[in-house]
């Protein structure tokens, strides 16, 4: 399965759906085509980018069940929206969007990097992370974070904060961490500064601990 198909598999039936930073609009098409939402909003900060989704979803826009909005982040998204998807951007960028706007009632986030920053922000904000796992597609590893803006205990282990609770013990995470260890060993072989060597060694020890089932 491709990244979009896997992402769509985490989307659940709802009344209202919003796809923030919608790109081509494939996820919204999936929701509408399969009757998984009654109405949808597609948004992007770029009118040019938004036009791609508008073209794909024209028939839904014309009949009034899909509304395109050009805005930054969540600026024009209703706080009462049942499910909000934000995918394809960095974790730190998603955090910025949430801080400037709001944490949706229910969400699916797919950060492209810095996912630990997003995960920590959600946990600290009291969110319940119903699913937080890894997948491999197109030669890359991705994380999907699905949850609600309340109900969380704030209890997340160091390993889960770093890589997601549903990733721990999976073959995908083992392969990803193995790759990371290989890169670190390569850097260490290059005679880094004492400071960088200490940081790299500390990271390698943490990764090895996660692989060994520690930090949980």
């Amino acid at each position: 399965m491709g990244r979009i198909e896997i992402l769509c598999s985490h989307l659940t039936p709802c009344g209202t759906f919003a796809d923030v930073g919608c790109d081509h609009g494939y996820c919204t098409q999936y929701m509408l085509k399969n009757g998984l939402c009654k109405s949808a909003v597609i948004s992007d900060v770029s009118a040019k980018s938004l036009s791609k989704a508008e073209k794909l979803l024209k028939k839904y826009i014309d009949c009034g069940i899909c509304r395109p909005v050009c805005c930054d982040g969540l600026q024009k998204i209703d706080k009462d929206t049942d499910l909000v998807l934000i995918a394809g951007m960095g974790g730190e960028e998603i955090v910025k969007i949430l801080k400037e706007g709001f944490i949706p009632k229910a969400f699916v986030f797919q950060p492209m990097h810095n996912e630990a920053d997003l995960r920590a922000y959600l946990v600290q904000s009291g969110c319940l992370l119903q699913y937080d796992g890894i997948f491999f597609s197109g030669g890359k590893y991705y994380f999907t974070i699905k949850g609600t803006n309340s109900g969380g205990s704030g209890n997340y282990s160091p390993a889960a904060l770093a890589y997601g609770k549903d990733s721990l013990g999976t073959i995908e995470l083992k392969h990803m961490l193995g790759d990371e260890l290989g890169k670190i060993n390569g850097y260490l072989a290059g005679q880094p500064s004492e400071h960088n060597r200490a940081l790299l060694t500390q990271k390698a020890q943490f990764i090895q601990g996660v692989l060994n089932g520690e930090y949980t």
Side-chain angles (χ1 to χ4, degrees):
M1 291 175 68
R3 183 179 74 89
I4 297 298
E5 288 88 350
I6 294 171
L7 185 57
C8 285
S9 72
H10 291 282
L11 301 175
T12 51
C14 60
T16 52
F17 172 72
D19 187 352
V20 175
C22 60
D23 195 40
H24 287 85
Y26 295 133
C27 292
T28 300
Q29 182 188 49
Y30 168 83
M31 293 293 285
L32 292 168
K33 185 177 181 179
N34 292 286
L36 297 177
C37 65
K38 294 179 180 178
S39 65
V41 175
I42 52 172
S43 77
D44 203 289
V45 70
S46 163
K48 183 178 180 180
S49 294
L50 184 60
S51 67
K52 294 182 294 186
E54 288 177 298
K55 183 177 180 180
L56 179 73
L57 302 167
K58 185 178 185 302
K59 68 176 182 179
Y60 299 107
I61 294 171
D62 289 346
C63 68
I65 60 173
C66 181
R67 180 170 61 93
V69 294
C70 188
C71 68
D72 188 4
L74 294 161
Q75 284 180 357
K76 295 183 181 179
I77 306 299
D78 194 323
K79 284 186 177 181
D80 289 327
T81 301
D82 294 319
L83 177 62
V84 173
L85 168 68
I86 306 180
M89 58 185 81
E92 75 287 353
E93 187 175 356
I94 298 176
V95 170
K96 181 175 181 289
I97 287 172
L98 300 179
K99 285 182 175 180
E100 292 178 352
F102 58 92
I103 300 178
K105 292 192 296 184
F107 54 79
V108 174
F109 299 144
Q110 192 267 293
M112 300 299 280
H113 49 80
N114 296 111
E115 60 279 344
D117 293 339
L118 173 59
R119 194 175 286 123
Y121 177 72
L122 295 171
V123 170
Q124 291 163 9
S125 299
C127 297
L128 173 63
L129 304 191
Q130 299 161 322
Y131 176 80
D132 184 4
I134 190 174
F135 67 93
F136 183 78
S137 178
K140 295 181 180 181
Y141 294 97
Y142 301 95
F143 292 88
T144 304
I145 303 174
K146 176 180 179 178
T148 59
N149 65 4
S150 62
S153 65
N155 245 349
Y156 234 58
S157 71
L161 276 173
Y163 302 111
K165 63 183 178 66
D166 296 296
S167 302
L168 302 180
T170 64
I171 190 68
E172 291 86 358
L173 185 65
K174 289 178 181 177
H175 285 163
M176 190 193 86
L177 295 183
D179 291 345
E180 284 196 26
L181 279 177
K183 290 177 183 177
I184 289 172
N185 288 333
Y187 294 144
L188 289 172
Q191 297 183 335
S193 67
E194 186 176 338
H195 175 71
N196 287 341
R197 176 173 292 277
L199 291 176
L200 288 167
T201 301
Q202 184 180 36
K203 185 174 182 180
Q205 289 173 343
F206 178 74
I207 290 174
Q208 192 60 61
V210 173
L211 287 170
N212 294 339
E214 302 169 18
Y215 308 117
T216 57

